[in-house]
Amino acid sequence: MVCVVFKRKVLKQIMDFKVDFNLSFNSEVQLTLCQCCVFFLGSGGFGCLNGVFFAIVLYFRQVRERLKKDVEKMKLQDPNFRPALVILQVGDREDSNLYITMKLKAAAEIGIHATHMTLPKTATEQEVLHSIKEVNENSSVHGLIVQLPLDSIHKIDTEKVTNAVAPEKDVDGLTSINAGKLSRGDLGDCFIPGTPNGCMQLIKQTGVSVAGKRAVVIGRSKIVGAPMHDLLLWNHATVTTCHSKTADLAGEVGKADILVVGIGKAEMVKGEWIKKGAVVIDCGINHIPDETKASGKRVVGDVHYASAKEQAGFITPVPGGVGPMTVAMLMANTVLSAKRFLEEHQPGKWSISYTQLNLQKPVPSDIVISRSCVPKPIDCMAREVGLLSDEVELYGKTKAKVQLSIIKRLQSQPDGKYVVVTGITPTPLGEGKSTTTIGLVQALGAHMNLNVFACVRQPSQGPTFGIKGGAAGGGYSQVIPMEEFNLHLTGDIHAITAANNLVAAAIDARMFHESTQTDKALYNRLVPLSGGQRKFSPIQINRLKRLGIEKTDPSTLTEEEITRFARLNIDPSSVTWQRVLDTNDRFLRKITIGQSPTEKGYTREAQFDITVASEIMAVLALTSSLEDMRQRLAKMVVATSCSGQPITTEDLGVSGALTVLMKDAIKPNLMQTLEGTPVFVHAGPFANIAHGNSSILADKIALKLVGPDGFVVTEAGFGADIGMEKFFNIKCRYSGLRPHVVVLVATVRALKMHGGGPTNLELLEKGCSNMRKQIENAQHFGVPVVVAVNAFKTDTDAELDLVCSMAKAAGAFDAVRCSHWAEGGAGAVALGQAVQRASGATSNFKFLYDLELPIADKIRIIAQKIYGADDIELLPEAQHKVELYTKLGFDNLPICMAKTHLSLSHEADKKGVPTGFILPIRDIRASVGAGFLFPLVGTMPTIPGLPTRPCFYDIDLDPETEEVNGLF
């Protein structure tokens, strides 16, 4: 009874195995048991001596179950991760199709995502190499098998093709690199080819020790013979490799305790050659005539099985022996590759090198310092911080864009610590906020060995050539190369200029065409005939739906529906969308457009803004994905109709084109600091008009890359009353991110100015009131504050100590002096340590106001709590906008105050902490796409002007070296 049960179990295992590998049994199975060893015979010529066939079945299933568990563990580590394999086939050989089917099925059972990539028989070598390159660069693929032979009508160098596979994805183990590592015994650092590895596992399943045995390998191919020799050798066998030219082959075979045959000749090795009790592994697959088969042929190995089984202690069947084990080992290699990938690309696991500074005294100019340091190649920087090759687009050697696909790859990983750098109310003397940001990240990274990213805004060309200069930091705390940083970078601002002005052109063109055409003519041009039919574009269908017209056939619209669809009826006086230019040109602040005779008298007053004041820049900074950006761009309100309805870019039909223009700008730009720490440079909205912070996308990617113990340091524009307030109330609302620390930058000389003069400690103490108020402003949001006192050589110890002590007395978590401008990261280590301590302190982050409050109440809370105003005054235009935006449903948007950055009040000359003032709100405008309302406080120029002597006087290019001279 036991034998019968065992017999049924064996039969089921074998039949399952047959299904797994498409084996064909053409006669009834006869199963006998001999001394508890399975003997399986059939007219197909399958056999197994002393249980080897059954061992193959059991071992394969063990491997499969082990690999399935490994895949499940990887998914626990990262739910979005899945090992992936690509099998590349050229042509359509029947035998190749069979092998590929086996591999695909095995992969599916294990949980590997396998893709069969096919190229036609007409594929050229170059096309095959191109396909391999694509897979090599795809970080989501961990294994690549090139199915051999390559069935092409063209001559293809197989060696060249197999060597084109990236060694880390070469699960076939056929590249020269993997073969070389195997030949020198680096078994743990290479992929062992599937067939030799499968043979080795079969040998081990017999229980025969390989060490000290005499092994003979027949065949020297790179797929079987050569790697089999190396594998046996490094498992301590004495190995002889034989081939068709070997003298006395039978004699050599007779010496073998272990015999592996892969010569490709049907039944060449005879049973009488084989040593009694030897382990025989037959890798051959050959077809010989057999009239009893429907196909007229049958499959045999390189060993004459019928005679060999009488001599061998163990022998593998053909087919069904080595083949399935090869597949199992290929799957094992794929899982191993995936494991290595996960291990190597653990978020926060950086292998980064830092750049040693050569500090000079006195400190040279910024440009001299920038050029004294050779930046790391940006692709090297990308690898160091865990970015994959296909996630990075290189723009030369020192800058790159990062693909948004990384967000999905890292979405399940924990974030790092989030730090925002802000400052006291700015003065013309400058506080060094950008310099402090860079100095802090250099300290945290190069000197404290923590993973850290800086996330800063891209500078506008206007200030660069105007009066402010660049925004790369300064001294020994800079983003490099500073010329690249300050001049164009990767063209994001130019993309915004193009997109913004496309909208402006669309507005005026639409008003012009509506004023000169009948409803029917306008409709026929908006929905033109094409191939005898009219068809709505997707954007036009969106407009129809918003109008409540559920029709998609242009011929079915009524006259009333045609009028509603075709006419926007824009009120010219309501147009809020302006043209932009990234240059300080004061004479474009007010212009008249449409003066050409071709415009038929259609003129109106307009203006230019500077590009970084465009709502599209704010959209870029606040978006969370390409889809989100598309939706935000579509929602931008450019005017209202004569009936008071908002007109959007989607109504104009231009939103899709805007997305196309912005498709590259949405990707953050990767650069580095002087000391080799990574920097994201992305977006640059004005802080006194827009929200003044770099992009949410850059912050989110950086927080994933640094890992839970790392830091992301971002900078908010101008003082804490502007940039920081908007960072919390606008940026953090849309990002969902919660900051751990606020760094407030102050300088002795700026505080003296707030105190009324530069002469003594009394005035300095008076000026510290501004710092105290900005600390209080940060505390409104429940975040610990560290004050960074940016020291200058003219500051005395008494002055620096006074500022630090007053900061702590005002409630700062800590206050430290910094010298990063002169010393780089070393001069900000104390600041870095304070930030690290503060990041572990209790944080009770909260927003300043509830979005559901009325518009006026939200403005009042900011004015009273942040600026210190007694109240607000809504002037008539502002009051009208409150009523309009409430009616249109825009009243639940956050508030982005547009006011001078030079004072806590609306009057730029009021330093320190002004009191007793009423904040006048002259107008309110809506950036619906960006997602905020911006009240205008006083007069606010939206495009700066050039001074008498702009910076461009000093800027020139050396035609021989192509170096930029005179830039800071």
Side-chain angles (χ1 to χ4, degrees):
M1 185 64 184
V2 173
C3 286
V4 171
V5 172
F6 182 64
K7 197 171 179 180
R8 287 175 180 166
K9 179 180 177 183
V10 172
L11 181 58
K12 184 179 185 308
Q13 293 273 14
I14 292 174
M15 296 308 291
D16 287 347
F17 193 68
K18 164 190 167 238
V19 171
D20 283 344
F21 291 99
N22 299 317
L23 300 181
S24 177
F25 297 156
N26 297 320
S27 65
E28 290 187 9
V29 174
Q30 178 184 355
L31 200 63
T32 61
L33 294 174
C34 178
Q35 298 178 349
C36 295
C37 294
V38 181
F39 216 111
F40 170 51
L41 296 173
S43 62
F46 300 91
C48 177
L49 190 61
N50 295 346
V52 174
F53 189 92
F54 191 46
I56 295 171
V57 175
L58 292 178
Y59 184 71
F60 174 78
R61 294 192 177 278
Q62 289 170 6
V63 170
R64 185 172 63 187
E65 292 307 310
R66 173 174 58 81
L67 295 177
K68 284 173 70 173
K69 289 179 181 177
D70 287 345
V71 171
E72 289 167 3
K73 286 179 183 177
M74 284 187 268
K75 286 184 177 179
L76 287 175
Q77 184 178 339
D78 182 350
N80 300 306
F81 185 80
R82 188 179 178 188
L85 171 69
V86 169
I87 303 171
L88 176 60
Q89 180 185 15
V90 178
D92 192 36
R93 283 176 58 119
E94 185 179 344
D95 53 349
S96 292
N97 291 337
L98 178 62
Y99 299 144
I100 290 169
T101 300
M102 292 166 58
K103 294 168 187 174
L104 293 174
K105 185 171 183 180
E109 289 180 344
I110 290 166
I112 296 170
H113 176 65
T115 302
H116 183 194
M117 179 186 289
T118 59
L119 295 177
K121 293 186 71 168
T122 56
T124 63
E125 181 177 276
Q126 194 59 39
E127 289 170 336
V128 176
L129 292 174
H130 177 74
S131 295
I132 291 173
K133 184 174 183 289
E134 283 187 334
V135 177
N136 285 343
E137 293 176 353
N138 186 346
S139 61
S140 65
V141 176
H142 312 102
L144 170 57
I145 295 172
V146 178
Q147 186 67 41
L148 300 177
L150 300 168
D151 182 25
S152 173
I153 62 174
H154 301 288
K155 183 178 180 182
I156 297 179
D157 185 340
T158 301
E159 183 81 7
K160 186 175 182 180
V161 166
T162 54
N163 270 319
V165 177
E168 67 274 14
K169 298 186 180 186
D170 174 31
V171 294
D172 252 334
L174 299 182
T175 62
S176 296
I177 290 176
N178 277 314
K181 288 181 177 180
L182 175 59
S183 69
R184 68 186 187 204
D186 296 336
L187 304 189
D189 189 34
C190 69
F191 287 116
I192 301 169
T195 298
N197 201 8
C199 293
M200 202 69 213
Q201 298 306 320
L202 287 174
I203 293 168
K204 290 178 179 178
Q205 288 301 302
T206 67
V208 173
S209 173
V210 177
K213 296 294 189 299
R214 183 180 291 275
V216 172
V217 178
I218 303 179
R220 50 187 170 180
S221 73
K222 63 179 290 186
I223 296 176
V224 180
M228 193 71 235
H229 174 280
D230 295 333
L231 199 54
L232 286 163
L233 183 67
W234 294 112
N235 276 271
H236 312 297
T238 301
V239 188
T240 300
T241 296
C242 298
H243 44 80
S244 59
K245 303 296 184 183
T246 299
D248 191 17
L249 181 59
E252 294 294 338
V253 169
K255 301 173 186 176
D257 302 309
I258 298 170
L259 177 64
V260 181
V261 187
I263 196 70
K265 293 186 177 181
E267 299 183 327
M268 185 190 76
V269 176
K270 310 304 179 185
E272 57 267 26
W273 296 3
I274 297 170
K275 183 179 180 180
K276 190 69 174 177
V279 175
V280 178
I281 307 295
D282 189 352
C283 303
I285 295 287
N286 308 283
H287 294 88
I288 63 173
D290 189 336
E291 294 178 356
T292 66
K293 302 293 182 184
S295 63
K297 57 185 178 181
R298 63 184 171 91
V299 177
V300 297
D302 291 349
V303 178
H304 187 270
Y305 180 79
S307 59
K309 71 183 180 71
E310 302 299 329
Q311 288 290 105
F314 302 89
I315 186 170
T316 56
V318 177
V322 172
M325 290 304 298
T326 298
V327 173
M329 294 304 102
L330 288 174
M331 298 304 112
N333 279 349
T334 302
V335 172
L336 175 60
S337 177
K339 281 182 180 179
R340 288 174 177 171
F341 178 89
L342 264 187
E343 175 64 25
E344 185 178 343
H345 296 96
Q346 287 181 23
K349 184 182 178 182
W350 290 10
S351 177
I352 187 168
S353 61
Y354 297 109
T355 306
Q356 186 74 33
L357 293 178
N358 181 21
L359 302 178
Q360 302 293 316
K361 301 293 181 183
V363 177
S365 69
D366 291 352
I367 191 71
V368 169
I369 293 172
S370 176
R371 288 178 180 164
S372 70
C373 181
V374 178
K376 292 180 282 189
I378 202 66
D379 56 337
C380 173
M381 166 64 75
R383 286 193 301 273
E384 288 181 338
V385 301
L387 290 163
L388 307 178
S389 60
D390 61 335
E391 294 169 343
V392 179
E393 295 177 5
L394 302 182
Y395 279 64
K397 297 179 180 179
T398 58
K399 53 190 177 180
K401 278 194 167 291
V402 175
Q403 298 275 14
L404 301 190
S405 59
I406 189 175
I407 296 174
K408 183 177 180 181
R409 176 169 72 87
L410 300 180
Q411 65 183 354
S412 63
Q413 304 304 325
D415 288 345
K417 304 295 178 62
Y418 198 25
V419 179
V420 59
V421 177
T422 186
I424 60 172
T425 301
T427 69
L429 297 173
E431 289 64 58
K433 193 158 74 285
S434 298
T435 305
T436 301
T437 299
I438 303 307
L440 173 58
V441 299
Q442 289 180 168
L444 289 167
H447 299 272
M448 296 172 62
N449 294 312
L450 295 168
N451 294 348
V452 62
F453 245 101
C455 290
V456 298
R457 289 179 296 167
Q458 179 181 351
S460 165
Q461 177 183 297
T464 297
F465 289 110
I467 193 169
K468 180 179 181 291
Y476 285 104
S477 295
Q478 294 186 54
V479 181
I480 58 170
M482 66 174 301
E483 304 102 305
E484 299 289 337
F485 181 90
N486 287 298
L487 301 174
H488 303 294
L489 196 58
T490 57
D492 294 349
I493 292 180
H494 300 314
I496 292 166
T497 303
N500 185 100
N501 292 342
L502 179 62
V503 176
I507 294 168
D508 289 304
R510 187 59 173 266
M511 288 194 288
F512 171 78
H513 291 305
E514 287 191 22
S515 69
T516 58
Q517 299 180 56
T518 65
D519 291 356
K520 190 66 175 176
L522 185 64
Y523 181 72
N524 287 343
R525 286 181 172 86
L526 286 171
V527 194
L529 279 170
S530 177
Q533 288 187 325
R534 299 187 190 276
K535 185 178 180 181
F536 291 124
S537 72
I539 288 177
Q540 290 176 324
I541 290 175
N542 290 343
R543 171 161 169 74
L544 287 167
K545 288 179 178 177
R546 286 197 304 280
L547 294 171
I549 302 172
E550 296 294 331
K551 295 179 180 179
T552 58
D553 183 352
S555 66
T556 61
L557 266 65
T558 66
E559 288 188 7
E560 185 268 340
E561 289 171 338
I562 285 174
T563 299
R564 289 174 59 206
F565 168 79
R567 292 208 174 270
L568 299 181
N569 285 324
I570 296 172
D571 178 358
S573 66
S574 74
V575 175
T576 56
W577 195 269
Q578 309 299 344
R579 288 163 172 82
V580 298
L581 186 71
D582 196 34
T583 301
N584 292 358
D585 191 344
R586 68 175 67 245
F587 291 96
L588 295 177
R589 289 172 179 170
K590 195 168 203 180
I591 60 172
T592 301
I593 62 172
Q595 296 191 73
S596 169
T598 56
E599 273 44 81
K600 303 178 181 179
Y602 168 69
T603 64
R604 68 180 181 90
E605 284 193 345
Q607 69 182 57
F608 270 78
D609 295 339
I610 196 162
T611 299
V612 288
S614 169
E615 183 177 353
I616 296 178
M617 174 63 88
V619 166
L620 176 66
L622 290 171
T623 194
S624 58
S625 67
L626 193 59
E627 176 60 28
D628 177 64
M629 184 175 74
R630 170 67 176 81
Q631 293 173 4
R632 287 176 180 269
L633 292 173
K635 290 190 296 184
M636 294 189 302
V637 174
V638 301
T640 55
S641 67
C642 293
S643 62
Q645 293 303 306
I647 305 297
T648 67
T649 56
E650 189 91 331
D651 292 318
L652 285 167
V654 74
S655 51
L658 298 183
T659 310
V660 171
L661 287 171
M662 294 293 293
K663 70 179 179 63
D664 290 320
I666 195 174
K667 304 165 189 172
N669 304 295
L670 178 67
M671 295 188 76
Q672 63 190 283
T673 68
L674 282 166
E675 296 191 56
T677 57
V679 180
F680 275 141
V681 187
H682 200 215
F686 256 27
N688 53 355
I689 299 167
H691 71 290
N693 284 266
S694 60
S695 77
I696 286 173
L697 284 169
D699 291 359
K700 284 191 168 184
I701 293 170
L703 285 164
K704 295 297 184 186
L705 287 170
V706 298
D709 298 321
F711 286 81
V712 171
V713 181
T714 190
E715 176 190 352
F718 294 133
D721 57 308
I722 296 184
M724 184 200 70
E725 181 270 316
K726 296 173 182 178
F727 172 83
F728 288 133
N729 281 322
I730 300 174
K731 185 176 180 180
C732 289
R733 280 188 201 271
Y734 285 120
S735 69
L737 300 173
R738 298 296 178 259
H740 295 79
V741 185
V742 171
V743 173
L744 182 72
V745 180
T747 63
V748 167
R749 61 184 189 176
L751 289 170
K752 284 179 179 178
M753 179 172 282
H754 281 294
T759 55
N760 55 40
L761 288 175
E762 183 180 344
L763 289 174
L764 175 60
E765 185 172 350
K766 182 181 176 183
C768 281
S769 62
N770 184 274
M771 176 182 66
R772 187 183 307 113
K773 174 58 179 165
Q774 300 290 29
I775 293 171
E776 176 190 306
N777 285 342
Q779 290 174 329
H780 282 310
F781 299 92
V783 182
V785 182
V786 174
V787 173
V789 185
N790 191 7
F792 291 79
K793 61 181 179 182
T794 54
D795 300 337
T796 67
D797 287 340
E799 290 170 335
L800 294 168
D801 289 342
L802 175 63
V803 175
C804 289
S805 62
M806 293 196 71
K808 292 176 185 176
F813 178 88
D814 203 351
V816 295
R817 61 175 75 178
C818 311
S819 55
H820 43 273
W821 179 81
E823 299 176 16
V829 169
L831 175 61
Q833 292 169 339
V835 166
Q836 188 178 29
R837 291 194 302 272
S839 70
T842 301
S843 178
N844 184 29
F845 177 76
K846 56 185 178 295
F847 295 116
L848 191 67
Y849 53 79
D850 191 319
L851 289 182
E852 301 307 315
L853 289 173
I855 295 172
D857 288 355
K858 289 184 282 194
I859 297 171
R860 184 175 290 108
I861 288 171
I862 295 172
Q864 292 178 334
K865 289 193 175 182
I866 301 298
Y867 307 153
D870 287 348
D871 204 349
I872 62 170
E873 178 187 6
L874 293 178
L875 299 179
E877 184 61 27
Q879 184 61 50
H880 167 69
K881 291 294 182 60
V882 166
E883 294 167 3
L884 174 64
Y885 294 152
T886 302
K887 177 183 175 182
L888 295 175
F890 301 157
D891 54 319
N892 62 349
L893 293 174
I895 302 298
C896 183
M897 300 291 283
K899 80 169 187 69
T900 179
H901 58 287
L902 296 174
S903 173
L904 284 164
S905 74
H906 58 288
E907 298 178 273
D909 59 342
K910 297 293 175 64
K911 304 300 179 186
V913 184
T915 57
F917 63 94
I918 304 295
L919 194 73
I921 311 298
R922 67 178 176 87
D923 195 3
I924 304 173
R925 294 178 185 168
S927 289
V928 180
F932 53 71
L933 302 177
F934 61 101
L936 301 178
V937 182
T939 302
M940 181 67 56
T942 53
I943 185 167
L946 290 172
T948 305
R949 191 189 187 284
C951 296
F952 61 64
Y953 272 83
D954 302 311
I955 299 171
D956 206 344
L957 185 73
D958 186 320
E960 292 187 8
T961 63
E962 296 188 9
E963 285 189 340
V964 177
N965 296 322
L967 192 62
F968 324 118

